[in-house]
Amino acid sequence: MPRVLTGLPANHAAAAWALPLLLLLLLVVWTPPLTSARPSTGPDYLRRGWLRLLAEGEGCAPCRPEECAAPRGCLAGRVRDACGCCWECANLEGQLCDLDPSTHFYGRCGEQLECRLDTGGELNQGEVPEPLCACRSKRPLCGSDGRTYDQICRLQEAARARPDANLTVVHPGPCESEPQIVSQPHNIWNVTGQDVIFGCEVFAYPMASIEWRKDGLDIQLPGDDPHISVQFRGGPQRFEVTGWLQIQALRPSDEGTYRCLARNALGQVEASATLTVVTPDQLNSTGISQLQSLNLVPEDEAESEEDYY
């Protein structure tokens, strides 16, 4: 004889048991499938872990490989699910992962990756490091597409994203290449007496050297001019070098075109930018709007004329 809740009619008791079951079934039915796209490490990624537990439950049913859905677009490769039955997309570098192999909340890292506690960033008081997937190797590689990859995990991601390209490793270490200017100097203007800086970022292997020159002059800057200086440093990325040209206390004679020249044993490349110098009297008589029409004023600097008086 079926049990009936005390104090309730039989039909009301049945409804009380059926409603929670119905809500649970709806949640399972409408749970969105896990995608192969790179998830964030925020609330959405945490929600993915809870949805995984809800869908898989605490135990494993008999394995039927023919009923498994084939995952697609897995940039970090595939791993077996918690029950060791179906394939699923592995987690990419930088994604949350399970430090304990016996758990299956965030998921497992892909090929050439391992789960480590992220202790590199600054932690606020009370925060704990998160377990993230990290590439086992940090050595650069040269790909068959002529590009240099920071490590094997990045190359494998690119290979899986473009399977028709048949991307492979040509050799360890970066690809030898002519210099490439990844950030070139921009045209600028300023008033006499002010300071300006041109910047130039170059990628190359072997590393490139950078020179600054001004059109009309045969010398390499700064020469013997004390109000012009140059600086160089490696970076911001690996195998890049950045150069700056600074001109202090602008004079009308500083106006002209300046060139960033980068060279190594394989070749040379250059990029140029124009410096326009105006006097305070010219600025007052010309106006910001006319300078803007000549492409001499950046949009964010032309919003308020009061900044220049």
Side-chain angles (χ1 to χ4, degrees), residues 16 129 149 189 218 284 287:
Y149 293 86
W189 75 277
D218 295 331
N284 291 333

Side-chain angles (χ1 to χ4, degrees), residues 211-224 257 259 261 263:
E211 297 178 4
W212 287 97
R213 295 182 180 271
K214 182 183 180 184
D215 286 354
L217 297 178
D218 295 331
I219 62 171
Q220 178 180 340
L221 298 176
D224 57 358
T257 300
R259 291 180 293 138
L261 293 90
R263 62 165 59 95

